[in-house]
Amino acid sequence: MTTSAGDADWVHDADWGLTYAAADALTIDGDWVLTHGPCSPRRYHLIGFFLVSSGRHIYVPLLQSSDASRAADLISSVPISASICASTQGIVLARAPWSSYYISTPISPKWTRIPNPMYSHPISIPVALVAGGDDGHGDGFLIICAVPSADGPQGFYRFDIYESSTGEWRTGPDRFPTGEILPSSGVSCGSAVYFRTETPSVVSYDDATGVARVLPPPPRCWGSEVQWELAEANGRLWCVCVRGRVVEVYQLGERDQWTMVGQSDAIDCSDPPRPLRAHSAGLGVVLWTNGRLGRWDLEHGKAIRLWFGEAAPPPGSCAQYVPYCAELELRR
């Protein structure tokens, strides 16, 4: 298996409060680890999270990179009444009341308001970003919103899509039937976005084909005692499932089949771990545990913990963790 030099540097050389410790043994499908998917370039790594809580924005770094200063600038300049809601490959999205959206890209880092959608959007609708598309600048993107039907049965959605290359909104399939889609659950992989529902199930919309569908979650991710989130790693869609204090990681493969690619022993903590949605070029998952964030590296069998000055709130309706993924350029 290959390891980027950046991963080794930030685990061992960073001197700003990162610690690492041996994790419990993980069972990994070695054949899958050697395979990389088409969805995300390897140069993009998860470098931190935007924590949105009680109207405040906090940037939580997982490693110290040259892009951390941009994250701080984004937080200090978030438009009035807006909240960061999605990010992928260095592109960051914020939204505000009255269907207002603002975008920041690596090439155009200042917040820029985009045109309002054709129809009004509730402030809490599920949204995801897709990187790519030819907008003439090399930082094209799609904003894909799952909008509940206002005049149809409950549980029906349409997809509103903003395309940076045209500067316009368009509408995908009408009244797509599914369970209630959970806010702050969207991740992207290639041209597709995925959301969790209360059912539970996974809703997928692929903008390249215009096809929306509903997928079952992994068979062991059912039940009221199970915490689960979606993640994208190395271009593959993952489902991170926590049963009690045991973490199980599944990858979505061909024919929509889930395969377990990692499993931990019981984690020693007072509160059950909570998984976070994430994007990364590495092989790891991020968990909230006892007020701290931990990155469990499946490839190397290590846990890297980030120490907070104060306890971080658990993920939920009052605290949203938006993953920030960017090109990895470490500072010494």
Side-chain angles (χ1 to χ4, degrees):
M1 290 177 280
T2 60
T3 307
S4 68
D7 283 342
D9 288 343
W10 74 268
V11 170
H12 297 289
D13 297 341
D15 58 1
W16 57 288
L18 280 172
T19 60
Y20 72 96
D24 294 318
L26 294 173
T27 303
I28 304 174
D29 182 339
D31 291 339
W32 176 82
V33 169
L34 291 172
T35 303
H36 301 295
C39 302
S40 179
R42 287 190 57 83
R43 66 179 180 274
Y44 288 97
H45 291 250
L46 179 66
I47 66 171
F49 283 86
F50 296 107
L51 169 57
V52 184
S53 178
S54 302
R56 298 171 56 216
H57 286 82
I58 302 170
Y59 179 62
V60 181
L62 290 180
L63 57 90
Q64 191 174 19
S65 80
S66 59
D67 222 51
S69 59
R70 179 187 167 219
D73 291 341
L74 287 173
I75 285 179
S76 65
S77 62
V78 172
I80 296 175
S81 300
S83 297
I84 293 174
C85 60
S87 174
T88 187
Q89 297 185 25
I91 303 170
V92 184
L93 177 70
R95 63 182 168 190
W98 310 108
S99 305
S100 301
Y101 291 91
Y102 302 84
I103 201 76
S104 170
T105 71
I107 295 178
S108 302
K110 291 186 177 181
W111 290 110
T112 302
R113 184 167 177 174
I114 67 171
N116 281 30
M118 296 176 289
Y119 308 100
S120 63
H121 286 179
I123 188 65
S124 61
I125 62 169
V127 60
L129 272 173
V130 173
D134 183 11
D135 65 350
H137 302 286
D139 58 351
F141 61 89
L142 302 175
I143 302 171
I144 300 181
C145 303
V147 185
S149 176
D151 56 356
Q154 186 176 4
F156 279 65
Y157 288 80
R158 72 171 190 269
F159 292 96
D160 285 357
I161 303 103
Y162 175 81
E163 190 168 359
S164 63
S165 62
T166 64
E168 297 179 348
W169 288 88
R170 52 185 168 84
T171 300
D174 262 345
R175 296 191 177 184
F176 176 70
T178 179
E180 182 179 351
I181 299 178
L182 298 174
S184 303
S185 67
V187 300
S188 61
C189 189
S191 60
V193 294
Y194 299 85
F195 302 93
R196 294 186 299 119
T197 76
E198 279 193 342
T199 309
S201 62
V202 178
V203 172
S204 167
Y205 173 67
D206 190 333
D207 188 66
T209 62
V211 174
R213 55 205 177 104
V214 178
L215 314 174
R220 289 171 56 85
C221 289
W222 296 78
S224 59
E225 301 301 318
V226 176
Q227 301 282 342
W228 64 292
E229 279 287 357
L230 300 175
E232 181 269 327
N234 274 4
R236 304 286 183 177
L237 183 70
W238 284 13
C239 180
V240 183
C241 177
V242 177
R243 301 171 58 86
R245 288 169 174 77
V246 175
V247 180
E248 299 175 352
V249 182
Y250 298 85
Q251 176 223 324
L252 185 66
E254 296 180 0
R255 297 181 296 277
D256 296 334
Q257 297 296 311
W258 295 99
T259 301
M260 182 185 290
V261 295
Q263 183 180 37
S264 76
D265 293 331
I267 296 174
D268 184 13
C269 54
S270 58
D271 297 319
R274 301 279 296 274
L276 301 182
R277 61 177 173 147
H279 295 265
S280 179
L283 299 172
V285 299
V286 181
L287 306 173
W288 177 94
T289 307
N290 296 342
R292 305 288 182 260
L293 295 191
R295 179 179 180 272
W296 268 255
D297 189 323
L298 300 181
E299 188 174 12
H300 301 98
K302 291 181 179 179
I304 300 123
R305 296 179 298 167
L306 176 65
W307 183 264
F308 282 81
E310 58 186 57
S317 59
C318 296
Q320 303 298 329
Y321 290 84
V322 179
Y324 182 43
C325 206
E327 290 185 286
L328 188 60
E329 295 179 7
L330 294 174
R331 289 178 177 174
R332 292 289 188 166

